[in-house]
Amino acid sequence: MKLTQYGYTQRRLHPDFGQIFSITHKGHYWLQGAQAAKLSRPPVLWPREWKLRHTLIVAACGIIFSRLLNLEVVNERELVGYSRHPEKARERGFALRTPLPDLLIKHQGRWMRVEVELSEKSRKRYARIWERLRPDSREPDLGIIYVCLNQRLKERILAFAKDAYYPGILAASIEETLAYEHELAFSNFDDHCLRLVKDNNLGGSDGIR
């Protein structure tokens, strides 16, 4: 409950739903008021604050995917549990590979990884990760959605994906993602877009165009 401890979220008890967590003014400040650039430079007095901000943004993305887009979402805590009991993950229709994603979302019957990227990684590191996650011949092409700190990091990841030819790597900036109104668009290196729009049916959304 580090987010609550540091004042990013608050906990309340509801007679019907039990514990409910909501984002505080401080949490909204870091998501909207402080702008994305500040996320890369945590204050010296809080050496692990970057991790808290990463957790907060992952949680915000999960809310957008699940509550605003009506997509089926597997969150961080659930993923840890499924990694310990892979048979339960298979029952739900997916298999986990390490490193674990920040989120899983189900789009048109297919599970996709979601990664929140707040810092740059080397080309070699991305290549190692993507090679480790490469599916076998019986599975769909690799599909990863990156929510990036800024436009520069988005373009960097897509450039690496182009060089390694991973058309299933999709990306958008945090600003683009958190500014959700009626749809979200994630593009690959060929500018093909995955458009996610709200649908009253669980998992309803547009495909790649």
Side-chain angles (χ1 to χ4, degrees):
M1 297 294 99
K2 291 183 179 179
L3 292 177
T4 302
Q5 179 182 348
Y6 288 107
Y8 286 102
T9 62
Q10 58 187 354
R11 180 177 61 180
R12 295 178 180 174
L13 291 176
H14 190 280
D16 297 322
F17 302 105
Q19 295 187 50
I20 295 179
F21 292 86
S22 60
I23 299 175
T24 64
H25 289 297
K26 183 177 180 179
H28 279 290
Y29 171 78
W30 284 113
L31 284 176
Q32 298 176 348
Q35 300 180 355
K38 289 195 175 183
L39 296 174
S40 63
R41 297 183 180 180
V44 176
L45 293 178
W46 282 22
R48 299 185 64 188
E49 190 172 358
W50 65 270
K51 192 169 184 179
L52 293 172
R53 292 173 185 168
H54 178 272
T55 301
L56 184 63
I57 293 172
V58 170
C61 290
I63 290 172
I64 290 173
F65 287 126
S66 64
R67 303 204 180 167
L68 300 184
L69 292 172
N70 288 343
L71 292 173
E72 188 174 351
V73 176
V74 183
N75 62 36
E76 286 181 293
R77 179 177 294 181
E78 291 175 310
L79 287 168
V80 172
Y82 282 127
S83 69
R84 295 169 181 165
H85 302 281
E87 71 283 357
K88 293 184 178 180
R90 288 191 293 270
E91 289 174 3
R92 195 163 174 182
F94 60 85
L96 288 176
R97 289 185 172 91
T98 55
L100 293 178
D102 292 322
L103 296 168
L104 277 181
I105 65 170
K106 193 172 187 179
H107 169 249
Q108 295 184 345
R110 175 189 175 195
W111 288 99
M112 300 186 70
R113 299 171 64 99
V114 177
E115 303 284 357
V116 172
E117 293 287 281
L118 302 185
S119 61
E120 294 183 357
K121 297 182 177 70
S122 69
R123 182 190 302 268
K124 289 183 179 180
R125 186 171 176 186
Y126 280 116
R128 286 196 301 269
I129 292 173
W130 294 339
E131 182 62 30
R132 192 183 307 161
L133 297 175
R134 184 192 293 272
D136 61 36
S137 59
R138 296 169 298 174
E139 297 178 332
D141 291 337
L142 181 67
I144 303 178
I145 292 174
Y146 282 96
V147 179
C148 305
L149 174 65
N150 50 40
Q151 193 70 19
R152 179 176 177 274
L153 184 53
K154 168 187 170 181
E155 292 171 358
R156 176 184 172 89
I157 291 174
L158 292 181
F160 292 165
K162 182 177 182 179
D163 291 343
Y165 197 73
Y166 282 107
I169 303 295
L170 305 160
S173 68
I174 289 175
E175 183 178 2
E176 292 168 333
T177 304
L178 297 183
Y180 165 85
E181 291 184 4
H182 303 292
E183 72 172 29
L184 290 180
F186 299 91
S187 60
N188 71 356
F189 59 76
D190 277 336
D191 291 328
H192 292 160
C193 286
L194 171 67
R195 298 189 183 278
L196 303 177
V197 297
K198 185 174 182 179
D199 195 306
N200 291 328
N201 298 314
L202 188 66
S205 53
D206 256 344
I208 295 180
R209 295 176 178 175

